[in-house]
């Protein structure tokens, strides 16, 4: 039986005051019957670690470098993240693929670098609206996941996968539970062909998940939690989703 995982992706939002209020609202609502994490902007990682110390709410980053160290201005290595006790890192979010031209192989290399430092990569895959309308959803998500599976090899079972249809991210257009489950089942089958741990792996759905649609999405057989953007910035909404997943 897989435990659900709910991850808040704060994106480029936050301030000392807003973060403190949000984290206090989340920790005060514990315990949750699921795994919970927040992925915060780099400058706030250490204050999140302090605010969450002693609680079972985990924290992570939203990106990392594929390189261990060196002349890569502006990048943050997984070694640096692990020094703070970072648990998760999101890699391959569609906003990084789109705005930073991240390739499937770069995403895979980042996932590999994270695992090498004991950080669980949350690997995002998902199709654009044009790709869905062209009937390319399966080919796109399989291609994206395949690069990671091949690069991680025998460690593939240690990642978390997030299916995030690009057309549903931040748009309020949520995939129906049936649409999401169909893709999750494909991803699970692909993982099964690659690792004996596929049945235990968490595959999250992301894309306008809110308190009012979380229950029906999370009821699907292969949906094991959510990667939450907008609703992760309001403690009552994020807590409601965590409760739905518990
Ligand atoms: C995301 O950024 O990963 C996301 C799913 O955003 P939203 O929930 O706002 O669609």
């Amino acid at each position: 039986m897989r435990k659900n995982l709910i991850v808040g992706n704060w994106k480029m939002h936050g301030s000392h005051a807003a973060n403190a209020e949000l984290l206090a609202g989340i920790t005060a609502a514990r315990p949750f019957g699921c795994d919970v994490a927040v992925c915060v902007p780099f400058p706030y990682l250490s204050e999140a670690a302090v605010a969450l110390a002693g609680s079972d709410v985990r924290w992570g980053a939203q990106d990392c470098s594929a390189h261990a160290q060196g002349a890569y201005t502006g990048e943050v290595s997984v070694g640096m993240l692990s020094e703070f006790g970072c648990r998760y890192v999101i890699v391959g979010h569609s906003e990084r693929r789109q705005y930073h031209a991240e390739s499937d192989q770069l995403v895979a290399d980042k996932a590999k670098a994270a695992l090498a430092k004991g950080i669980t990569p949350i690997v995002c895959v998902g199709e654009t609206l044009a790709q869905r309308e062209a009937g390319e959803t399966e080919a796109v998500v399989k291609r994206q996941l395949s690069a990671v599976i091949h690069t991680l090899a025998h460690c593939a079972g240690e990642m978390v996968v997030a299916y995030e249809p690009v057309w549903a991210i931040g748009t309020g257009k949520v995939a129906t539970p049936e649409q999401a489950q169909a893709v999750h089942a494909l991803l699970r089958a692909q993982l099964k062909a690659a690792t004996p741990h596929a049945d235990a792996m968490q595959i999250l759905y992301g894309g306008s998940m809110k308190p009012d649609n979380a229950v029906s999405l999370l009821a699907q057989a292969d949906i094991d939690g959510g990667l939450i953007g907008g609703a992760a910035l309001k403690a009552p909404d994020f807590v409601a989703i965590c409760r739905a997943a518990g």
Side-chain angles (χ1 to χ4, degrees):
M1 180 70 182
R2 293 180 293 269
K3 202 172 184 184
N4 281 331
L5 167 64
I6 300 296
V7 180
N9 172 17
W10 290 7
K11 311 196 189 200
M12 198 172 69
H13 295 289
S15 66
H16 288 307
N19 302 346
E21 190 181 333
L22 182 48
L23 292 173
I26 295 168
T27 51
R30 295 167 44 243
F32 302 114
C34 62
D35 296 332
V36 175
V38 289
C39 289
V40 311
F42 288 130
Y44 299 128
L45 286 175
S46 53
E47 73 184 34
V50 170
L52 296 172
S55 93
D56 53 2
V57 177
R58 304 161 178 179
W59 58 272
Q62 300 171 14
D63 185 35
C64 64
S65 175
H67 303 286
Q69 62 176 3
Y72 301 103
T73 302
E75 295 216 45
V76 174
S77 75
V78 286
M80 296 169 186
L81 294 174
S82 70
E83 275 201 321
F84 287 91
C86 180
R87 176 74 186 257
Y88 294 104
V89 63
I90 298 170
V91 296
H93 192 283
S94 63
E95 289 154 12
R96 302 245 14 128
R97 292 181 190 262
Q98 185 183 350
Y99 304 137
H100 301 270
E102 293 198 0
S103 66
D104 294 339
Q105 190 56 52
L106 178 61
V107 172
D109 290 342
K110 289 183 175 193
K112 186 174 181 181
L115 275 182
K117 285 289 177 185
I119 298 173
T120 302
I122 300 173
V123 178
C124 301
V125 300
E127 82 287 4
T128 63
L129 184 58
Q131 289 166 333
R132 173 163 282 265
E133 288 176 347
E136 294 168 2
T137 299
E138 179 171 349
V140 169
V141 298
K142 278 190 169 173
R143 188 202 72 223
Q144 292 172 333
L145 187 59
S146 164
V148 187
I149 285 173
H150 282 104
T151 299
L152 297 188
H154 65 280
C155 298
E158 294 171 39
M159 68 176 147
V160 169
V161 175
Y163 168 54
E164 297 210 308
V166 179
W167 48 272
I169 297 177
T171 59
K173 283 184 199 154
V174 65
T176 65
E178 296 72 24
Q179 283 174 323
Q181 166 58 26
V183 178
H184 280 235
L186 285 173
L187 296 173
R188 180 94 54 204
Q190 190 179 357
L191 291 166
K192 274 187 184 162
T195 167
H197 306 296
D199 277 328
M201 290 176 69
Q202 291 164 317
I203 307 180
L204 315 184
Y205 168 80
S208 298
M209 191 185 269
K210 309 277 182 218
D212 63 357
N213 58 34
V215 172
S216 54
L217 287 161
L218 293 167
Q220 301 303 307
D222 290 293
I223 300 184
D224 314 308
L227 182 54
I228 319 296
L233 298 173
K234 297 177 203 133
D237 286 359
F238 189 66
V239 163
I241 295 172
C242 293
R243 294 213 191 293

